[in-house]
């Protein structure tokens, strides 16, 4: 293994605090990682890591070495990526943050097709329904479903609007009655969906009429998928992005409630750190994702 690859393995072990963790990150075997570190230590003539049964930590010499070589390793990776980009070659890694529901229901075919077209690009995807600071946590891109952006520290790109629907299970409506107006919601169990899992304020409008309703029921969650399953079980009415419940609506497990009333717009938006220019790999994925999403009828 070359010296640059040895440095990459060493830095991965230092970051993970584990030979096994570094092996998983790099796609190597733990034995290969161990041999690489042993070879690097022999070459330098110093011990870089202290190994115990529970963890691996840097020695003082290892900490100094890591501090010196980490910027060099990163610089070499970026130099290689910039050289490829100058030739129009998409490669390198992309760290993406996305909502859990979108990741489970929409992204698998996107990622599979992207990998076929751009095999030299590695996508690392973190799914969370909570807010993620992409600058602080070093993401290349975040996919969000939310109201119009107010964040001034990032760059954003609107992909499309995301329709929402009020839904409930037929058995729930048979038992409790079907609301004819938003005022009737006061007599129903309404499941609340939000990043902080607190009671949600529904704003409904039709023509010139507007109503607000505080969704109070037995359950609140930051997971749209969980609330969709609860609604299927007959636990109440929930307001969700259509793509989460589209299959259940088609199958008849859920039906729309107050379909002639609309809610404020929410957007599917891409967020970026404050790049002067989007890296080619990020721009390529963004364009590919947008083209795919625009073709999905249920979105």
């Amino acid at each position: 293994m070359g010296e640059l690859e040895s440095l990459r393995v060493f830095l991965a072990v230092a970051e993970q605090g584990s030979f096994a963790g570094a092996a998983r990150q790099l796609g190597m075997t733990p034995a290969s990682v161990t041999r690489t570190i042993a070879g690097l230590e022999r070459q330098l003539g110093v011990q870089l890591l202290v190994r115990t049964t529970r963890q691996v930590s840097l020695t003082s010499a290892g900490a100094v070495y890591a501090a010196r070589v980490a910027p060099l390793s990163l610089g070499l990776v970026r130099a290689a990526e910039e050289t490829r980009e100058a030739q129009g070659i998409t490669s390198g890694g992309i760290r993406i943050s996305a909502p859990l529901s979108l990741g489970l229901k929409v992204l698998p075919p996107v990622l599979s097709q992207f990998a076929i077209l751009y095999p030299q690009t590695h996508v690392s995807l973190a799914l969370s329904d909570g807010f993620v600071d992409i600058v602080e946590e070093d993401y290349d891109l975040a996919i969000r479903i939310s109201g119009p952006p107010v964040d001034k520290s990032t760059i954003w790109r609107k992909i499309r609007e995301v329709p929402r629907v009020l839904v409930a299970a037929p058995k729930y409506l048979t038992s409790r009655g079907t609301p004819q107006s938003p005022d009737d919601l006061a007599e129903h169990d309404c499941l609340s969906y939000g990043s902080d899992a607190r009671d949600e304020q529904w704003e409904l409008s039709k023509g010139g009429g507007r109503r607000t309703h505080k969704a109070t029921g037995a359950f609140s969650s930051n997971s749209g998928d969980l609330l969709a399953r609860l609604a299927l079980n007959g636990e109440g009415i929930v307001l969700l992005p259509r793509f989460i419940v589209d299959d259940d609506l088609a199958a008849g497990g859920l039906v729309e409630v107050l379909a002639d009333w609309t809610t404020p717009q929410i957007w599917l938006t891409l967020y970026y750190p404050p790049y002067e220019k989007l890296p080619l790999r990020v721009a390529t994925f963004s364009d590919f994702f947008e083209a795919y999403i625009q073709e999905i009828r249920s979105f």
Side-chain angles (χ1 to χ4, degrees):
M1 182 174 289
E3 186 173 358
L4 292 180
E5 283 300 302
S6 297
L7 294 181
R8 189 167 73 99
V9 172
F10 165 67
L11 292 171
V13 174
E15 176 188 348
Q16 296 288 324
S18 161
F19 286 95
R24 286 192 297 270
Q25 178 180 315
L26 299 172
M28 300 171 61
T29 65
S32 295
V33 171
T34 300
R35 285 196 298 271
T36 300
I37 295 301
L40 183 60
E41 289 177 328
R42 283 196 302 272
Q43 177 186 343
L44 296 173
V46 296
Q47 183 178 359
L48 300 172
L49 298 163
V50 177
R51 305 149 176 84
T52 68
T53 55
R54 293 189 175 184
Q55 66 177 2
V56 177
S57 58
L58 292 167
T59 63
S60 57
V64 171
Y65 188 65
R68 290 293 183 91
V69 301
L72 297 175
S73 177
L74 180 59
L76 289 169
V77 170
R78 287 178 175 171
E81 290 177 355
E82 289 170 3
T83 301
R84 294 189 186 101
E85 288 185 6
Q87 303 302 314
I89 301 172
T90 301
S91 64
I94 309 175
R95 294 193 71 229
I96 301 174
S97 170
L100 179 62
S101 298
L102 187 81
L104 295 176
K105 292 184 174 292
V106 177
L107 288 182
V110 178
L111 298 176
S112 294
Q113 293 182 33
F114 184 79
I116 293 171
L117 294 174
Y118 304 100
Q120 296 186 62
T121 303
H122 173 79
V123 178
S124 175
L125 182 67
L127 300 179
S128 171
D129 285 328
F131 175 80
V132 175
D133 187 328
I134 62 173
V135 176
E136 182 69 24
E137 299 189 34
D138 196 28
Y139 283 96
D140 298 299
L141 167 67
I143 306 171
R144 292 179 184 162
I145 298 175
S146 63
V150 295
D151 186 358
K152 304 298 183 182
S153 65
T154 56
I155 305 166
W156 56 268
R157 169 179 173 180
K158 179 183 177 183
I159 301 301
R160 64 181 299 174
E161 294 172 12
V162 179
R164 290 185 289 174
V165 288
L166 283 166
V167 297
K171 61 183 178 182
Y172 171 85
L173 298 176
T174 299
S175 172
R176 300 288 297 273
T178 300
Q180 301 302 310
S181 78
D183 295 336
D184 297 338
L185 293 172
E187 305 301 321
H188 286 268
D189 292 321
C190 297
L191 312 179
S192 179
Y193 178 35
S195 59
D196 54 5
R198 297 181 181 177
D199 291 343
E200 182 183 13
Q201 193 83 2
W202 294 348
E203 299 179 20
L204 305 170
S205 61
K206 182 174 71 169
R210 296 180 182 277
R211 297 286 190 278
T212 61
H213 175 73
K214 189 174 184 179
T216 55
F219 303 102
S220 300
S221 178
N222 68 340
S223 170
D225 290 286
L226 171 62
L227 293 174
R229 301 283 77 74
L230 290 171
L232 274 171
N233 291 343
E235 297 296 343
I237 301 171
V238 64
L239 175 63
L240 291 171
R242 175 177 284 275
F243 77 88
I244 295 179
V245 295
D246 197 57
D247 290 343
D248 296 318
L249 288 169
L254 294 173
V255 296
E256 288 193 50
V257 176
L258 300 175
D260 53 343
W261 289 79
T262 61
T263 59
Q265 291 184 2
I266 59 173
W267 294 359
L268 176 65
T269 309
L270 301 183
Y271 286 79
Y272 310 96
Y275 293 120
E276 292 184 7
K277 178 183 178 182
L278 284 183
L280 180 61
R281 65 190 186 282
V282 179
T284 300
F285 181 87
S286 299
D287 292 341
F288 183 87
F289 175 75
E290 180 174 7
Y292 183 92
I293 289 297
Q294 298 297 357
E295 296 177 359
I296 300 178
R297 293 181 180 179
S298 63
F299 215 91

